[in-house]
């Protein structure tokens, strides 16, 4: 029996070392980066959903001068916050908006991921009020 020690004859020690030292760590880094990026995109989508829901609710309130707190809306918006954080609507109306009849809703969250650390993500939605009211409302997931 003849043992052939060429490259075609088998997988050599150099190829095994290259796989262990270069390829596997690179693949692990790329996979964890993609998982972190996917989490950020999911949170961004949830922030957009939160601003949309809050804007539609604020448009239907006939008097925004009172505190726009609503327990059902707070529970629904808190379900979109990541990592079991909560959002509070009570006292979040920070004053009149920039123009007559415009409601602005801002939602923000600070993400601390594996590679994307201390990234503050925001979503803003500006809409016209059905009842000619103006307000700026901030939603923060704490």
């Amino acid at each position: 029996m003849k043992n052939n020690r060429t490259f075609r004859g088998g997988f050599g020690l150099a190829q095994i070392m290259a796989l262990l030292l270069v390829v596997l760590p690179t693949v692990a880094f790329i996979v964890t980066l993609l998982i972190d990026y996917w989490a950020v995109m999911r949170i961004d989508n949830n922030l957009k959903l939160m601003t949309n829901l809050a804007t539609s609710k604020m448009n239907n309130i006939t008097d925004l001068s009172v505190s726009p707190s609503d327990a059902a809306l707070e529970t629904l918006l808190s379900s979109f916050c990541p990592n079991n954080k909560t959002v509070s609507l009570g006292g979040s109306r920070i004053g009149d908006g920039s123009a007559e009849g415009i409601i602005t809703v801002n939602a923000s969250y600070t993400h601390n991921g594996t590679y994307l650390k201390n990234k503050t993500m925001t979503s803003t939605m500006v809409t016209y009020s059905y009842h000619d009211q103006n307000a700026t409302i901030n939603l923060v997931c704490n």
Side-chain angles (χ1 to χ4, degrees), residues 125-139:
M125 187 167 191
V126 178
T127 184
Y128 291 105
S129 174
Y130 296 147
H131 303 287
D132 288 331
Q133 301 180 81
N134 55 347
T136 301
I137 299 165
N138 287 336
L139 306 170

Side-chain angles (χ1 to χ4, degrees), residues 27-137:
V27 169
F29 170 74
I30 290 172
V31 167
T32 54
L33 184 65
L34 284 175
I35 289 171
D36 201 20
Y37 181 74
W38 176 74
V40 167
M41 291 297 104
R42 189 179 38 130
I43 293 168
D44 183 53
N45 186 38
N46 286 350
L47 288 176
K48 290 176 183 175
L49 288 171
M50 288 171 60
T51 56
N52 189 9
L53 288 170
T55 302
S56 63
K57 177 65 177 180
M58 297 306 149
N59 275 337
N60 292 325
I61 294 176
T62 57
D63 187 14
L64 280 175
S65 63
V66 297
S67 178
S69 63
D70 183 3
L73 182 63
E74 285 182 15
T75 305
L76 181 63
L77 292 178
S78 294
S79 70
F80 289 112
C81 282
N83 300 330
N84 297 324
K85 306 233 178 197
T86 59
V87 66
S88 175
L89 282 176
S92 63
R93 182 181 188 274
I94 62 169
D96 292 334
S98 59
E100 189 71 28
I102 291 181
I103 296 174
T104 304
V105 176
N106 302 316
S108 64
Y109 174 73
T110 302
H111 176 69
N112 291 318
T114 306
Y115 296 108
L116 305 172
K117 295 184 182 216
N118 296 326
K119 298 293 179 189
T120 301
M121 301 165 38
T122 61
S123 176
T124 302
M125 187 167 191
V126 178
T127 184
Y128 291 105
S129 174
Y130 296 147
H131 303 287
D132 288 331
Q133 301 180 81
N134 55 347
T136 301
I137 299 165

Side-chain angles (χ1 to χ4, degrees), residues 17-34:
M17 294 302 290
L19 179 74
L20 291 176
L21 295 176
V22 177
V23 176
L24 292 180
T26 304
V27 169
F29 170 74
I30 290 172
V31 167
T32 54
L33 184 65
L34 284 175

